[in-house]
Structure formats: structure tokens, C-alpha cells
Amino acid sequence: MKRSLQLNPDNRPATWAQIRERRDAHETAPIATAFGTFDCDPRSDARMAGSIELFDSLPTLQEGKLIWKRADNSFIQLTKAELEQVYAEVKTNRAARGAILHVKAEQFRQMSPAPTPAQLADLSFWLEE
């Protein structure tokens, strides 16, 4: 039987589809705020916006504070103003990160060779200067 050496797929240059896939995944990765790290995928965004809008009528409201789950599954109690601050930080940081990722994806696509899928899996690789 003939033996052949095969390159690990994670060490081959990434395709444009793989670059876009990782860009999109990183864009919705959790965001660190003054109150901890929070999810920022579309569902979490809608949940936070809706909770701010209907804050006073939510069933988990206790003594003017809402129980909220962070990205690490720990809980925190937040006032409406604090939840609004978290939401503003998440939106601002997600937009800034999205802008960086958009530019980096095109830079990675034009590199020869392109970064590997293993490199692209690490968000800090995308944010390096």
C-alpha cells in the first residue's frame, strides 16, 4: 500500500468562502462592556432592544433592576439606564469591529498565500494591526 502525506486542511490557505464565514462569525462574537461581556448576535440584540423598550413591564424586574444573562451565562441585575449603557456599548463596539473585519477580510483575500483557517478562527488575529 502506498502512503501519502496530506496537509492538514487547517494549515492550507483559506478560501474566500472560509474568510467570509469567519468574518461573519467574528462580527457577532460577544462584546466586553463596563458590566461584563454580552452576546451580540441578532437575537440577543433584538432581546436587549425589546427589553429596554418594555423595561417596566418585564416579569424579571425586581426593585427597579432587571436580571440579565451575560455571555458567560452568569447573571447581573441592571437598571434601565445600565441596560441602555450596555446596549450602547455593544452596538458601538460591534459596529467598530464589523468595520475592521470588513476591511481585513478583503486584505486577507488579496494576500498570497491567504491566512490559514486556523489563523482565521482567532478573532485577535483579525484585530492585529
Side-chain angles (χ1 to χ4, degrees):
M1 177 193 298
K2 188 175 180 182
R3 298 171 89 182
S4 66
L5 182 63
Q6 292 188 356
L7 186 60
N8 181 335
D10 282 343
N11 293 329
R12 291 183 181 158
T15 65
W16 178 229
Q18 290 171 315
I19 293 170
R20 286 191 325 258
E21 180 183 308
R22 293 311 307 169
R23 175 198 62 200
D24 295 346
H26 288 316
E27 192 168 2
T28 60
I31 298 279
T33 72
F35 293 93
T37 302
F38 292 84
D39 291 325
C40 73
D41 57 90
R43 175 174 258 155
S44 297
D45 182 86
R47 184 178 298 114
M48 197 171 285
S51 293
I52 290 168
E53 182 181 341
L54 302 170
F55 190 86
D56 293 323
S57 62
L58 296 173
T60 58
L61 189 65
Q62 297 175 357
E63 299 175 13
K65 292 190 173 191
L66 186 64
I67 298 171
W68 201 265
K69 189 166 77 169
R70 293 182 243 191
D72 67 358
N73 294 323
S74 65
F75 289 91
I76 186 171
Q77 289 187 320
L78 300 168
T79 64
K80 185 175 184 180
E82 290 168 340
L83 186 59
E84 288 171 333
Q85 180 182 339
V86 167
Y87 188 55
E89 286 184 51
V90 166
K91 284 175 53 175
T92 300
N93 291 333
R94 183 181 56 217
R97 183 170 63 192
I100 291 168
L101 295 174
H102 180 71
V103 171
K104 284 287 199 167
E106 184 58 31
Q107 290 173 348
F108 292 156
R109 185 176 77 86
Q110 294 179 15
M111 287 174 71
S112 183
T116 66
Q119 289 172 305
L120 295 176
D122 182 5
L123 177 58
S124 64
F125 176 77
W126 289 76
L127 302 178
E128 289 177 349
E129 300 218 7

